[in-house]
Amino acid sequence: MNELLLTAIRFGFLGLLWVFIAAVVATLRKDLRGVPAAAAVARTGRAAAKPQRQSRGQKAAPTGIEILDGPLVGATMALTGADIVIGRAPDCTIVLTDDYVSSKHTRLRKVDETWFVEDLGSTNGTWVNRARITTAVPLVVGMVINVGRTPVQVTA
């Protein structure tokens, strides 16, 4: 075989290797950053509702949650007095079939008259409005909670 042809083949394989490495890095970055809000809108066909304005001194109390994406898109659940556990385990209140969700990932808990979201030591963490939480955070109407790749919105 011609030495020039052999060198061209080697550079071709080297170029393919670099394209593969770049694709792997791009996929890892996308997975670590989570789903951008624009992509969630494109998949669900609707934007996340903004918190409704209330008159001065009044805040809308959260009364439910709605799943914005995934197999359970559009499913809602009222916030009653009982804790809501979200995860992959069959005994969770909301069972998600998302590979990025731990068996018991997140809990919504009512303390006195305030609802809180807390991470239960999940591998990928719980994200509230695109920020990872490490302690219990009070629920606010319009807040988006990402459990794995599944966005859940707090409703009034």
Side-chain angles (χ1 to χ4, degrees), residues 84-86 104-108 117-120 126 145 147:
I84 297 173
V85 177
I86 303 172
K104 296 203 181 202
H105 195 103
T106 301
R107 176 174 45 215
L108 304 178
V117 59
E118 60 184 333
D119 184 68
L120 298 176
T126 300
I145 304 164
V147 182

Side-chain angles (χ1 to χ4, degrees), residues 28-37 39 127 130 146 148-149:
L28 287 173
R29 288 183 62 182
K30 183 181 125 201
D31 284 347
L32 290 175
R33 285 188 183 167
V35 178
W127 298 72
R130 300 181 75 184
N146 280 77
R149 288 188 170 175

Side-chain angles (χ1 to χ4, degrees), residues 48-54 140-143 153:
K50 293 183 180 177
Q52 298 176 357
R53 290 189 136 173
Q54 301 292 319
V140 177
V141 174
M143 169 186 286
Q153 184 172 24

Side-chain angles (χ1 to χ4, degrees), residues 89-148:
D91 62 335
C92 290
T93 314
I94 299 175
V95 179
L96 298 176
T97 56
D98 182 344
D99 291 337
Y100 291 85
V101 174
S102 298
S103 57
K104 296 203 181 202
H105 195 103
T106 301
R107 176 174 45 215
L108 304 178
R109 169 179 278 186
K110 188 174 185 177
V111 178
D112 295 327
E113 292 302 314
T114 306
W115 280 91
F116 291 89
V117 59
E118 60 184 333
D119 184 68
L120 298 176
S122 63
T123 304
N124 294 313
T126 300
W127 298 72
V128 172
N129 294 335
R130 300 181 75 184
R132 189 172 186 162
I133 62 170
T134 55
T135 61
V137 174
L139 293 183
V140 177
V141 174
M143 169 186 286
V144 176
I145 304 164
N146 280 77
V147 182

Side-chain angles (χ1 to χ4, degrees), residues 12-28:
F13 280 125
L14 185 61
L16 286 174
L17 179 65
W18 279 107
V19 168
F20 176 74
I21 290 172
V24 168
V25 169
T27 301
L28 287 173

